[in-house]
Amino acid sequence: MSDAESTRRSELVAELYAQHGEKLRAFLYGVLRNVELASEALQNTFRQAVRALPEGTPDGIRGWLFRVAYNEAMLIRRRARVASDALQRMVESRAVETPGGGSGGETAQRIADDPLVKRETIERVHRALENLPRDQRYVVEQRIYGEKTFAAIAEELDVPLGTVLTRNRLALEKLRAALSETESSPRE
Amino acid sequence: MSSDAPLSSDDRLQWAQRYLLGELSSAEVEAFETRLGEDEELAAALADVVLIHQAVGDVPFPAPLREAVPDSRRLLRRFGWSVAAVAMVGVVALVQQTPRQVEMAKGGLELSHPEVLDSLFASSADDEDGPESMGVDPSDDEINALDVPDWLFAAVEAEGRMDDSGRPQEEEL
């Protein structure tokens, strides 16, 4: 690869990172449920991009990045599982009691503690949340912030479960639109 | 969820949210993750759901939502608060009474002994029939603040200044 080609590719990757980095990191967090592992997978993804970024349209490249990110996440997971199994064997062989530890999934609260989202994204989602019809907003907040099940919310509001699910779906669509707004807005 | 059934944008969001919240069965998780590697839109939906959850989780609980609590529950909450306030004032009044007054008031109950008072406090602290059993959220600011009105404190102080016959004691000079 010539110097010029290398520079051009680095610039392209940097641009892709600015464009898709936040979303890819969130995706990786969704799969791995761990900020450090998600960051590691993200780095590996862009390392691959520098080495072997395919030619194509931006949309095609986004798909490629998601696939690479997914494969990286699965790789890390397998590695973590192997390490965890080895640790478990070691622990069992020494008959040492370990504390309860976490379950596979992490709570929404844990997600809220992790700095995955840019401040401006949060502000846009906050605004979108405030603009939601009150019934939709209530469902979203009780589900995400209050960590209530949809069934519990339906019971509390005395409405059918389907109504609560519909409100949640409509709200998610609107909040998602606020995220897209962030992406299409000019960068400072 | 089958790994090859067509999904709409809405479906993707809902599945992604349920996946994130750990609401899928292990078979569904497997199908979801298999699909995640092939369906770019599903991967993007998962990313968006994570971002939404992060952003919403950052939102302080908004005041207007409290209005969504049914009126009956709000009344119950106020009632619980009032009961708690009156009970507290009662205990304060009890403590301020002389041992003799307590014995008279309680028909000879030996509240003059400090250990009896201690156990009274201890039993009220251990009492499981707290505000929660009345449908009152114990973390509620209204409860925690226990904003006892001034007139109630004034009444307690006046009670403390009364002699055995219920007449106001003369001020000490």
Side-chain angles (χ1 to χ4, degrees), chain A residues 40-52:
Chain A
E40 185 187 335
L42 187 67
Q43 278 181 27
N44 293 345
T45 301
F46 279 94
R47 203 169 286 149
Q48 289 237 34
V50 171
R51 272 205 306 265

Side-chain angles (χ1 to χ4, degrees), chain A residues 73-93:
Chain A
M74 291 298 133
L75 198 65
I76 284 176
R77 254 227 211 144
R78 276 197 294 275
R79 218 170 55 205
R81 203 170 292 144
V82 169
S84 164
D85 289 349
L87 182 67
Q88 186 62 32
R89 279 196 298 275
M90 190 178 80
V91 166
E92 282 169 0
S93 71

